[in-house]
Amino acid sequence: MLDNLIMGFGAALTPANLLWCFVGVLAGTVIGLLPGLGSTTGVAVLLPLTLSFEPLTALIMLAGIYYGAQYGGTITSVLISTPGEAASVVTAIDGYQMARKGRAGAALSIAAIGSFAAAIVSLVLLVAMAPPFAELALGFGPPENLAVMVLGLATIVSFSSAGGRLRGLAMAVLGILLATVGVDAATGLPRYTFGDVDLLSGLPFVQVMIGLFAVGEVLFQIRQGAAAPIRARFKDLMITKAELSRSTGAIARGSVIGYLLGCLPGAGSTLASFLAYGVEKRVSRNRHEFGQGAIEGVAAPESANNAAANANFVPTLALGIPGGATTAVLLGAFMMYGIQPGPLLFEEQPELVWGLLASFFLGNVMLLVLNLPLAPMFAQLLRIPYGYMYPLILVTSFVGAYSIDNNMFSVWVVFVFGLVGYFMKKFDLPMAPLVLGLVVGALFEKALVQTSAMGGGDLTIILTRPIALVVFLLAALLLAGPTLLKLIPRRQKETV
């Protein structure tokens, strides 16, 4: 393995590969900044430009766009509550609140540091454990996928305080109901489309997020009255040692969660970031600060996001199964160059595989060097008076939404969910459970239908699947644990 790594770095450390790796991460950061584009669109659009490149050089650049976009989406999430990437949605919850308190620089810095640390951790795991994890992921069928989705839904409780759990569950159910719009997974018939062709593919996730977070926030702030521009001193924009210390555990936990979920085909970075946020809210000593600007609420999801992006290459390279939408496009790039991902790829083309893995490390070093010094400079944008910022945010949101599908339907979705976001903020309804329900809903239904088909309509087939059973038990503990812990002291008092 050490020989393979040395060979990989030897292949990646050529002037041409380093140049195009830098171009990739820079282009990815810019693409992530633009709401509605995202890494999948960026890779697909720039793929034709790489046709004249050597296969390794092309894949290094395209992979750089992939993980560069993850950080780019964080910048707009923190500064203007407009997620540029779906996986950056949860970062906006605490990242934007930190920005409102003059700590945008610290939020962006910890996002860069967390992403880098997660990339290194996931790269080590990727190198050491890719083959066994690929075999484990191959053993994941519909029952196991269903269990993972239920575990994701179980984290909903983590997003709400004890008094707000009912509202959190209500928002989660609403999110799942919104996810049922489109085509029925079991029958293939249109459902809740009302004859509109645009709804056949379901509610567009990115447009919904732009409406809820960006437009909803602007409308709410306008109703509250124009806030004064943030006049934080430059030294206040830098991250402190105390904040770094608080974030260490969050980064470690987020990295592991992101890697584990990223290895599963279809789970993706978005679910990983939500799960990491939910876990961190449970275990953090500063859980009362979550939703109000907790730095752990930025570090955990950003680490999970980046770790999952790297781990997506486990099923892609080892099995030939894309880990997510972007790796599906990258799988097409492999095919274009006559390369067949799968179990034999590590043996037949070791220089390409290990060169690509080594470039992940180099690319993340470039991202850290590029973005860490620029974090306080990005934060200076908050000095612009909000009278100028609000129109800019609205224009960016609507133009970005229109550019995704080039039709007015996307614009109307942003407008409608902007109003929904405004009323949710006005009545203090939690957004995170709604978003998580929308993310998990379609995956949950698909896994449920497939599991039912496997058991001939009998869902007790889950009891015969050890992995699924363990995950379901974990989800049950997450849901029932807080209630059981509260009952124990009461029983002790009654006994006394």
Side-chain angles (χ1 to χ4, degrees):
M1 189 176 295
L2 186 60
D3 291 339
N4 285 330
L5 269 178
I6 293 171
M7 176 180 62
F9 276 105
L13 284 169
T14 64
N17 287 342
L18 287 173
L19 172 63
W20 290 110
C21 183
F22 177 77
V23 170
V25 297
L26 181 62
T29 303
V30 174
I31 288 167
L33 277 166
L34 303 174
L37 280 184
S39 58
T40 306
T41 306
V43 170
V45 169
L46 296 178
L47 179 58
L49 299 179
T50 65
L51 292 177
S52 61
F53 293 3
E54 289 293 320
L56 178 58
T57 304
L59 292 170
I60 284 175
M61 176 185 165
L62 294 173
I65 294 170
Y66 180 25
Y67 47 79
Q70 309 294 320
Y71 184 77
T74 302
I75 297 172
T76 49
S77 288
V78 170
L79 296 184
I80 55 176
S81 189
T82 307
E85 274 273 318
S88 301
V89 168
V90 71
T91 306
I93 298 173
D94 281 282
Y96 182 65
Q97 293 303 320
M98 286 185 68
R100 298 286 297 170
K101 296 176 179 178
R103 302 296 297 149
L108 293 174
S109 296
I110 202 61
I113 294 168
S115 295
F116 175 74
I120 303 307
V121 170
S122 60
L123 181 59
V124 171
L125 293 173
L126 185 62
V127 169
M129 306 177 70
F133 261 93
E135 291 179 14
L136 180 64
L138 195 60
F140 264 62
E144 287 76 18
N145 289 331
L146 177 64
V148 171
M149 297 308 113
V150 171
L151 181 63
L153 290 170
T155 61
I156 290 170
V157 178
S158 301
F159 292 111
S160 307
S161 60
R165 282 180 187 158
L166 187 59
R167 286 183 296 173
L169 288 172
M171 290 298 100
V173 171
L174 177 59
I176 294 171
L177 289 175
L178 290 174
T180 62
V181 174
V183 175
D184 191 303
T187 64
L189 297 174
R191 180 175 59 189
Y192 306 133
T193 60
F194 306 102
D196 193 328
V197 177
D198 291 309
L199 287 173
L200 284 173
S201 56
L203 288 169
F205 181 75
V206 174
Q207 290 91 318
V208 171
M209 294 306 101
I210 291 172
L212 284 175
F213 284 90
V215 178
E217 177 66 25
V218 169
L219 294 177
F220 183 73
Q221 292 297 336
I222 290 173
R223 181 69 178 83
Q224 293 288 100
I230 296 170
R231 299 292 184 187
R233 295 172 297 176
F234 190 82
K235 70 174 185 177
D236 292 332
L237 297 172
M238 306 297 288
I239 191 167
T240 64
K241 289 182 179 179
E243 288 171 328
L244 272 174
S245 177
R246 280 179 55 175
S247 304
T248 304
I251 291 171
R253 286 183 287 270
S255 300
V256 173
I257 291 170
Y259 181 81
L260 293 175
L261 278 177
C263 288
L264 304 178
S269 303
T270 306
L271 181 59
S273 63
F274 272 96
L275 272 173
Y277 185 87
V279 169
E280 200 56 38
K281 189 172 181 180
R282 280 189 175 280
V283 303
S284 174
R285 295 178 181 177
N286 306 296
R287 66 190 69 179
H288 61 282
E289 294 182 21
F290 276 70
Q292 301 172 13
I295 196 163
E296 298 94 331
V298 176
E302 280 302 305
S303 303
N305 174 7
N306 204 282
N310 285 345
N312 273 175
F313 283 90
V314 170
T316 305
L317 294 175
L319 302 174
I321 302 171
T326 307
T327 46
V329 179
L330 286 169
L331 189 63
F334 276 95
M335 302 297 186
M336 284 172 52
Y337 294 112
I339 302 166
Q340 179 59 55
L344 298 178
L345 184 62
F346 284 81
E347 296 178 10
E348 294 177 350
Q349 302 208 43
E351 186 173 337
L352 183 139
V353 172
W354 293 99
L356 181 60
L357 295 180
S359 76
F360 293 172
F361 174 80
L362 300 174
N364 278 283
V365 170
M366 290 177 185
L367 268 177
L368 185 69
V369 173
L370 183 67
N371 290 305
L372 195 57
L374 293 178
M377 295 177 64
F378 282 130
Q380 293 294 322
L381 292 173
L382 295 175
R383 290 177 174 269
I384 300 173
Y386 284 96
Y388 299 111
M389 285 285 284
Y390 290 154
L392 181 63
I393 294 170
L394 291 175
V395 169
T396 302
S397 299
F398 286 115
V399 171
Y402 181 83
S403 67
I404 299 173
D405 296 317
N406 293 321
N407 64 23
M408 286 300 295
F409 175 74
S410 296
V411 176
W412 283 110
V413 170
V414 171
F415 175 74
V416 170
F417 278 92
L419 295 177
V420 172
Y422 165 74
F423 284 108
M424 288 181 70
K425 286 180 176 293
K426 183 177 180 180
F427 295 106
D428 196 26
L429 297 173
M431 280 195 189
L434 172 67
V435 176
L436 186 58
L438 190 58
V439 169
V440 172
L443 300 172
F444 175 79
E445 182 184 12
K446 181 181 177 181
L448 182 64
V449 169
Q450 291 175 338
T451 302
S452 177
M454 283 180 63
D458 185 6
L459 290 176
T460 56
I461 187 177
I462 293 167
L463 300 176
T464 66
R465 314 279 289 212
I467 296 176
L469 197 58
V470 170
V471 177
F472 271 116
L473 288 174
L474 181 60
L477 285 174
L478 281 172
L479 289 171
T483 305
L484 293 175
L485 288 173
K486 287 181 179 179
L487 290 175
I488 292 172
R490 288 181 183 176
R491 289 180 179 178
Q492 288 177 345
K493 288 179 180 179
E494 289 173 3
T495 304
V496 173

